[in-house]
Amino acid sequence: MNLLLLSNSSSDAGYLVHALPAIRELIAALPPGAPAVFVPFAGVTRNWDDYTALVVSALADTGLNIQGLHRAEDPVAALEGAAVIIVGGGNTFNLLGQLRRQGLLGVVARRVRQGAAYLGWSAGSNLSCPTICTTNDMPITDPQGFDALGLLPFQINPHYTNAHPPGHRGETRAQRLAEFCTLNPAMPVLGLPEGSGLRVSGGEMTLIGPHEAPLFLGQQEPRVFRPGPVEVQA
């Protein structure tokens, strides 16, 4: 498979600017004007047309011909013809619920396994996992099950930080992930800090970006990956 899974889309540099080198590498083998589909369903307070326009503008220099999936007359046909499937961030529950209700979840998974490139950030990265159970989002809608694309054999936690502001009495992110790992001791969780991403090419995985990333598994002390090759084993 050919995947690029980002923690975040926005940065001080601009929308997706920090990820453009990795995005260009993801699509390097594609011809100019290659068809791409953008899935905006994680957008809730953001209008899907506006969201699509934002992504089209941000990726204009890549040469991709991007269509919003919500505007496709035949969404299945649009996915079947796409060389790249792009899944944006927002609310993971709404994203998964929309894909499931429209019968598109399995189509996306099949197309990526057949060779379509997959670019996701935040909720789009969560969607690539076995489930969405390590998202940071509120369950604002019932997605009729947490099972997701299952492109990876482990979970991702985007926007990972273990910051604990003075006076804050809630759990840290590491504590929340420890809860997941206690009830799912055989399922690893990779925390992706801001500015980081996971590149999957064939059977190889690489942590990209400037930051280290912790891997949580059961009751073990988190293993920390530096940028470079990543090997995750349960």
Side-chain angles (χ1 to χ4, degrees):
M1 290 184 292
N2 188 23
L3 318 176
L4 177 58
L5 308 171
L6 305 171
S7 177
N8 57 295
S9 55
S10 60
S11 70
D12 292 341
Y15 199 79
L16 289 174
V17 171
H18 71 287
L20 281 175
I23 294 171
R24 291 192 178 98
E25 193 273 333
L26 175 76
I27 63 173
L30 298 178
V37 168
F38 174 61
V39 182
F41 299 153
V44 177
T45 57
R46 175 178 279 161
N47 176 280
W48 290 349
D49 285 334
D50 293 342
Y51 198 177
T52 302
L54 175 64
V55 172
V56 169
S57 176
L59 299 181
D61 290 344
T62 66
L64 292 174
N65 182 13
I66 302 173
Q67 174 188 23
L69 186 60
H70 66 298
R71 288 296 184 184
E73 293 184 8
D74 186 339
V76 172
L79 290 168
E80 294 286 2
V84 186
I85 298 174
I86 306 169
V87 185
N91 186 274
T92 313
F93 293 91
N94 199 57
L95 168 63
L96 179 60
Q98 288 285 345
L99 286 170
R100 198 187 306 283
R101 284 190 289 273
Q102 296 185 40
L104 301 175
L105 188 66
V107 180
V108 173
R110 175 173 54 77
R111 286 293 299 121
V112 176
R113 292 186 183 280
Q114 289 174 341
Y118 183 95
L119 168 61
W121 54 88
S122 192
S125 294
N126 279 132
L127 190 72
S128 70
C129 300
T131 74
I132 65 165
C133 290
T134 52
T135 178
N136 305 308
D137 302 332
M138 289 187 176
I140 60 173
T141 186
D142 182 0
Q144 301 298 310
F146 297 145
D147 291 349
L149 295 175
L151 303 175
L152 299 177
F154 57 89
Q155 294 289 128
I156 286 176
N157 177 245
H159 308 290
Y160 177 78
T161 175
N162 205 37
H164 197 255
H168 179 67
R169 303 305 175 191
E171 289 82 358
T172 64
R173 186 73 57 78
Q175 289 172 323
R176 287 299 191 197
L177 293 178
E179 293 175 341
F180 173 86
C181 291
T182 297
L183 297 184
N184 303 271
M187 179 58 70
V189 184
L190 182 67
L192 277 183
E194 300 292 63
S196 299
L198 187 68
R199 179 75 173 93
V200 180
S201 180
E204 298 182 353
M205 293 186 292
T206 305
L207 176 65
I208 62 174
H211 304 297
E212 297 178 338
L215 181 75
F216 299 84
L217 179 63
Q219 302 302 308
Q220 303 174 20
E221 281 295 313
R223 179 183 177 187
V224 177
F225 289 110
R226 295 178 177 176
V230 171
E231 184 175 349
V232 179
Q233 295 180 343

